[in-house]
Amino acid sequence: CDFETDLCKALHELNLQPGWIRRNGQSGMGPPYSDYNGNGRAYFLSLSSEMKSSSATLRTNVFLPNDEEQVCQITFHYWISQMSGTLIVGLQKHSEDTITNIWQDSGELRNQWKTNTITINSTKKYEV
């Protein structure tokens, strides 16, 4: 998923809550001025500077359960600016109402792209 033409198959347009925008480094909105590969024309998702609420959420489509022989890994690149708080990845199993936080970063190293890979084991259908 690279956001070059749309929001990818993993993210529903309907799940894009207010505040999230698809942009590139040449949009004139401030840093980052390129994607994680240094491409200023490449697109990524960003929180709008007009975002006034305390949080915004992205939800994936539903992933099928995995077993001992299958592993689901999600790799993502992220940027935390001076203005940001905490980026949290949560897991919601379809058999549960609660979202379990499985990773977070408060941005000790700010204003640079970072990469993370999360391994998910779930015997139930789930969303991230």
Side-chain angles (χ1 to χ4, degrees), residues 69-97:
E69 297 174 8
Q70 297 175 320
V71 174
C72 175
Q73 288 189 320
I74 298 174
T75 299
F76 56 94
H77 307 278
Y78 63 101
W79 172 286
I80 298 178
S81 71
Q82 300 288 0
M83 306 283 286
S84 298
T86 303
L87 178 64
I88 299 171
V89 176
L91 177 74
Q92 182 174 19
K93 296 179 182 178
H94 273 215
S95 59
E96 302 172 6
D97 290 333

Side-chain angles (χ1 to χ4, degrees), residues 7-8 11 31 37-38 43 65-66 80 84 93 109 121:
L7 293 178
C8 312
L11 301 172
N37 281 323
Y43 283 86
N66 46 26
I80 298 178
S84 298
K93 296 179 182 178
L109 298 172
N121 293 313

Side-chain angles (χ1 to χ4, degrees), residues 22-118:
R22 184 181 151 270
R23 71 174 187 97
N24 64 20
Q26 298 178 329
S27 64
M29 298 179 66
Y33 298 108
S34 64
D35 74 347
Y36 68 96
N37 281 323
N39 183 346
R41 294 183 178 178
Y43 283 86
F44 47 86
L45 292 184
S46 177
L47 281 174
S48 168
S49 58
E50 288 87 39
M51 183 69 183
K52 301 296 185 212
S53 73
S54 60
S55 66
T57 301
L58 292 172
R59 289 181 82 89
T60 63
N61 282 338
V62 176
F63 288 102
L64 297 175
N66 46 26
D67 55 33
E68 293 91 27
E69 297 174 8
Q70 297 175 320
V71 174
C72 175
Q73 288 189 320
I74 298 174
T75 299
F76 56 94
H77 307 278
Y78 63 101
W79 172 286
I80 298 178
S81 71
Q82 300 288 0
M83 306 283 286
S84 298
T86 303
L87 178 64
I88 299 171
V89 176
L91 177 74
Q92 182 174 19
K93 296 179 182 178
H94 273 215
S95 59
E96 302 172 6
D97 290 333
T98 59
I99 297 173
T100 303
N101 292 346
I102 56 175
W103 176 88
Q104 73 179 41
D105 187 343
S106 295
E108 291 179 17
L109 298 172
R110 294 175 189 253
N111 290 320
Q112 67 183 31
W113 284 104
K114 298 190 331 191
T115 302
N116 191 53
T117 300
I118 297 173

